[in-house]
């Protein structure tokens, strides 16, 4: 049987490799050390978050959010972070900054020269491009 090979270069779920091999695939994989695992979990979180954005139905959204939670849980286990620590940080951020229930969408922000806002935005120009008005 002719085989076709595709690069993956990403973290897979534990049972997925075995499932693919049962269907005749040949999987080339390695076990990651802690540093590599942490990096790949972070990349997986971005991938799963993008899949949340692309979800087309409520059912698909639920499945993708479950994937995000699985990755977050794996990161917590790897780094020894408890659910209580996450809940505390979440409550602190909520108390300091609020949540998202008011649906506030900021289109642009004007900050005084030399302010924290200017420095924050200039440090991340790809995320916050400056509007130059002539």
């Amino acid at each position: 049987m002719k085989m076709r090979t595709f690069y993956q270069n990403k973290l897979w779920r534990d049972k997925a490799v075995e499932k693919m091999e049962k269907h005749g695939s040949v999987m080339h994989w390695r076990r990651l050390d802690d540093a590599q695992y942490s990096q790949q979990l972070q990349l997986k979180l971005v991938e799963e978050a993008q899949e949340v954005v692309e979800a087309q139905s409520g059912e698909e959204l639920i499945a993708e959010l479950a994937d995000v939670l699985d990755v977050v849980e794996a990161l917590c286990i790897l780094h020894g972070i408890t659910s209580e620590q996450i809940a505390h940080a979440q409550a602190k951020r909520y108390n300091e900054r609020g949540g998202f229930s008011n649906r506030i969408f900021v289109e642009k922000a004007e900050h005084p020269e030399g302010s924290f806002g200017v420095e924050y935005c200039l440090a991340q120009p790809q995320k916050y491009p400056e509007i130059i008005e002539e």
Side-chain angles (χ1 to χ4, degrees):
M1 171 187 324
K2 180 170 173 31
M3 302 287 275
R4 296 179 70 182
T5 305
F6 301 89
Y7 282 113
Q8 297 294 305
N9 292 323
K10 68 179 192 172
L11 188 65
W12 276 39
R13 286 183 170 270
D14 297 340
K15 295 180 182 179
V17 169
E18 182 181 332
K19 185 176 180 180
M20 294 302 293
E21 289 176 336
K22 284 183 179 178
H23 287 92
S25 295
V26 177
M27 307 303 291
H28 303 267
W29 62 275
R30 62 187 167 89
R31 194 166 313 280
L32 303 174
D33 65 26
D34 285 353
Q36 294 167 328
Y37 181 47
S38 180
Q39 179 185 31
Q40 291 302 314
L41 281 170
Q42 292 169 9
L43 292 172
K44 180 61 79 173
L45 184 57
V46 172
E47 175 188 340
E48 298 299 348
Q50 184 59 44
E51 291 175 3
V52 166
V53 170
E54 295 168 359
Q56 298 292 309
S57 68
E59 185 176 314
E60 196 176 341
L61 179 61
I62 290 168
E64 298 306 339
L65 288 170
D67 286 345
V68 167
L69 290 177
D70 281 343
V71 175
V72 169
E73 182 178 281
L75 277 164
C76 288
I77 291 168
L78 176 64
H79 294 286
I81 299 169
T82 66
S83 58
E84 291 80 16
Q85 288 173 296
I86 298 292
H88 176 74
Q90 182 182 20
K92 182 179 177 191
R93 290 178 82 82
Y94 183 86
N95 288 333
E96 291 173 356
R97 300 179 183 184
F100 298 98
S101 60
N102 287 337
R103 305 176 185 199
I104 296 170
F105 181 83
V106 177
E107 294 176 347
K108 62 182 178 178
E110 297 180 48
H111 302 291
E113 187 65 47
S115 70
F116 168 79
V118 168
E119 299 306 316
Y120 185 82
C121 292
L122 288 176
Q124 303 175 78
Q126 71 288 351
K127 191 172 179 181
Y128 306 109
E130 186 170 6
I131 300 168
I132 307 295
E133 296 184 15
E134 297 179 27

